[in-house]
């Protein structure tokens, strides 16, 4: 059993490995199990409810990242921060992989780290794809994620049978480009979320029925994916996370923060994104970092003295 690159991917034979079983990772892994793939996962907390739920659906739990690497043909990671990616994927998983195994990092991480991982993978005779995703918990559950896939194009094409279960992949270039694409995505969605929040706050202040307001703008130029996914949640005060506010701060920071020693042509001035980052940072400062990004409306409400 097992199909290493470039042998065809088959649900009955290709062994999937998974690290990261939070809101997004759990939903994505569950879809692969439902599609008939054999899936083994590693969890830092073996008794986490999501770990038990995956096992009840037929998944196997590995005892370490290295063991998981040995049991996987394609190994996905969906963790929190670049430091987690470095510790789990670069330091623990890559050295233990079998030749022609493929790793797919769906974490929102740093482009330079993705390039480092790709280079190290090739040295070891394996392949590494950076493929962060967008679409939130609903997209992960329904298999409608946007997947920004980068690295060796032939390997990305080979992964299509798996990607198609999770959403729609777009090849965006060599290693690191997936992460750059995700940062640009987060800058864009940050603007959408802040704009939607301000529109709702103004509509409420003007005495409009908020659900009628959302329905009225849905099919006009203000209509957006952000509106579809988060509009009703914002109105209802449902801030359960699809993506954490603290992760939005991290992602925006990778776009706007100037690293010491950076060359002039490495710096991009993004005044809007810098503002979005500060607004999301205020959520973290108010103990809301683990809330969903749609909770940004609470910041705009606080600024305007509205009751929460």
């Amino acid at each position: 059993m097992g199909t290493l690159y470039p042998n065809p991917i088959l649900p009955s034979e290709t062994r999937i490995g998974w690290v990261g079983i939070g809101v997004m990772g759990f939903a994505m892994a569950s879809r692969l199990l439902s599609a008939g793939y054999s899936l083994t996962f590693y969890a830092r907390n073996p008794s986490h409810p999501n770990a038990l739920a995956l096992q009840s659906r037929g998944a196997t739990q590995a005892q370490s990242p290295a063991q998981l690497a040995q049991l996987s043909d394609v190994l996905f990671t969906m963790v929190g921060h670049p430091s987690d990616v470095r510790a789990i994927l670069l330091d623990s998983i890559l050295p233990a992989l079998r030749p022609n195994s493929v790793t797919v990092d769906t974490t929102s991480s740093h482009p330079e780290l993705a390039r480092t991982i790709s280079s190290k993978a090739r040295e070891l005779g394996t392949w590494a794809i950076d493929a962060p995703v967008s679409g939130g918990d609903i997209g992960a559950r329904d298999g409608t994620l946007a997947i920004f896939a980068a690295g060796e194009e032939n390997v990305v094409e080979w992964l299509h049978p798996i990607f198609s279960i999770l959403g729609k992949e777009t090849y965006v270039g060599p290693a690191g480009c997936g992460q750059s694409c995700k940062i640009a995505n987060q800058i864009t969605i940050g603007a959408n979320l802040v704009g939607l929040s301000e529109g709702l706050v103004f509509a409420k202040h003007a005495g409009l029925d908020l659900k009628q307001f959302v329905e009225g703008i849905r099919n006009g130029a203000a209509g957006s994916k952000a509106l579809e996914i988060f509009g009703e949640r914002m109105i209802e005060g449902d801030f359960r996370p699809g993506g954490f506010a603290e992760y939005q701060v991290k992602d925006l920071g990778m776009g706007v923060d100037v690293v010491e020693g950076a060359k002039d042509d490495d710096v991009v001035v993004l005044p809007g994104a810098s503002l979005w980052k500060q607004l999301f940072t205020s959520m973290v400062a108010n103990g809301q970092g683990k809330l969903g990004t749609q909770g940004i409306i609470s910041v705009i409400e606080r600024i305007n003295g509205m009751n929460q």
Side-chain angles (χ1 to χ4, degrees), residues 35-160:
Y37 283 92
S38 171
L39 188 140
T40 305
F41 68 94
Y42 169 74
R44 285 179 290 189
N45 178 3
S47 59
H48 189 282
N50 285 354
L52 301 179
L54 286 176
Q55 288 177 295
S56 72
R57 299 179 186 188
T60 302
Q61 185 164 189
Q63 299 305 305
S64 68
Q67 183 189 40
L68 179 67
Q70 286 290 305
L71 297 173
S72 304
D73 302 320
V74 181
L75 196 157
F76 283 80
T77 48
M78 170 58 93
V79 293
H81 297 273
S83 58
D84 300 318
V85 175
R86 180 176 293 276
I88 292 289
L89 183 51
L90 184 62
D91 297 340
S92 299
I93 288 174
L94 281 188
L97 287 171
R98 294 169 302 136
N100 286 326
S101 300
V102 176
T103 63
V104 183
D105 184 27
T106 62
T107 311
S108 297
S109 186
H110 199 283
E112 189 56 42
L113 178 57
R115 287 188 282 269
T116 298
I117 290 169
S118 177
S119 178
K120 184 65 174 179
R122 293 309 302 131
E123 290 177 12
L124 297 171
T126 64
W127 304 88
I129 300 299
D130 54 295
V133 301
S134 180
D137 55 327
I138 294 176
R141 182 195 68 201
D142 295 345
T144 57
L145 292 170
I147 304 168
F148 314 125
E152 177 60 41
E153 188 170 6
N154 289 338
V155 179
V156 172
E157 292 174 356
W158 179 76
L159 288 165
H160 174 73

Side-chain angles (χ1 to χ4, degrees), residues 29-307:
S30 296
R31 287 193 61 81
L32 294 177
L33 283 168
S34 297
Y37 283 92
S38 171
L39 188 140
T40 305
F41 68 94
Y42 169 74
R44 285 179 290 189
N45 178 3
S47 59
H48 189 282
N50 285 354
L52 301 179
L54 286 176
Q55 288 177 295
S56 72
R57 299 179 186 188
T60 302
Q61 185 164 189
Q63 299 305 305
S64 68
Q67 183 189 40
L68 179 67
Q70 286 290 305
L71 297 173
S72 304
D73 302 320
V74 181
L75 196 157
F76 283 80
T77 48
M78 170 58 93
V79 293
H81 297 273
S83 58
D84 300 318
V85 175
R86 180 176 293 276
I88 292 289
L89 183 51
L90 184 62
D91 297 340
S92 299
I93 288 174
L94 281 188
L97 287 171
R98 294 169 302 136
N100 286 326
S101 300
V102 176
T103 63
V104 183
D105 184 27
T106 62
T107 311
S108 297
S109 186
H110 199 283
E112 189 56 42
L113 178 57
R115 287 188 282 269
T116 298
I117 290 169
S118 177
S119 178
K120 184 65 174 179
R122 293 309 302 131
E123 290 177 12
L124 297 171
T126 64
W127 304 88
I129 300 299
D130 54 295
V133 301
S134 180
D137 55 327
I138 294 176
R141 182 195 68 201
D142 295 345
T144 57
L145 292 170
I147 304 168
F148 314 125
E152 177 60 41
E153 188 170 6
N154 289 338
V155 179
V156 172
E157 292 174 356
W158 179 76
L159 288 165
H160 174 73
I162 298 174
F163 281 147
S164 65
I165 296 165
L166 305 176
K168 183 180 186 303
E169 79 275 19
T170 300
Y171 180 71
V172 295
C177 288
Q179 297 300 347
S180 293
C181 190
K182 179 59 185 287
I183 293 168
N185 177 85
Q186 296 302 85
I187 292 168
T188 306
I189 189 63
N192 286 339
L193 287 169
V194 172
L196 177 57
S197 296
E198 292 188 349
L200 286 167
V201 166
F202 177 83
K204 182 177 181 180
H205 180 75
L208 298 178
D209 180 288
L210 295 186
K211 291 188 177 181
Q212 289 179 350
F213 162 69
V214 166
E215 187 60 32
I217 69 172
R218 188 184 305 276
N219 295 317
S224 68
K225 200 75 170 179
L227 179 69
E228 296 300 323
I229 296 175
F230 299 116
E232 186 171 344
R233 294 188 190 188
M234 286 179 167
I235 293 170
E236 300 295 336
D238 178 1
F239 301 151
R240 288 174 295 178
F244 294 133
E246 66 182 21
Y247 289 175
Q248 181 76 342
V249 174
K250 176 237 338 178
D251 294 346
L252 291 171
M254 289 188 287
V256 304
D257 291 348
V258 178
V259 179
E260 184 177 357
K263 299 178 181 177
D264 290 347
D265 57 3
D266 290 334
V267 177
V268 182
V269 179
L270 304 169
S274 298
L275 175 57
W276 318 153
K277 184 192 173 191
Q278 287 299 306
L279 292 172
F280 282 102
T281 298
S282 74
M283 287 186 65
V284 176
N286 279 279
Q288 298 176 305
K290 296 294 185 184
L291 296 184
T293 52
Q294 69 272 24
I296 192 65
I297 191 173
S298 66
V299 176
I300 307 302
E301 288 174 334
R302 275 197 299 274
I303 292 172
N304 285 279
M306 293 183 172
N307 293 330

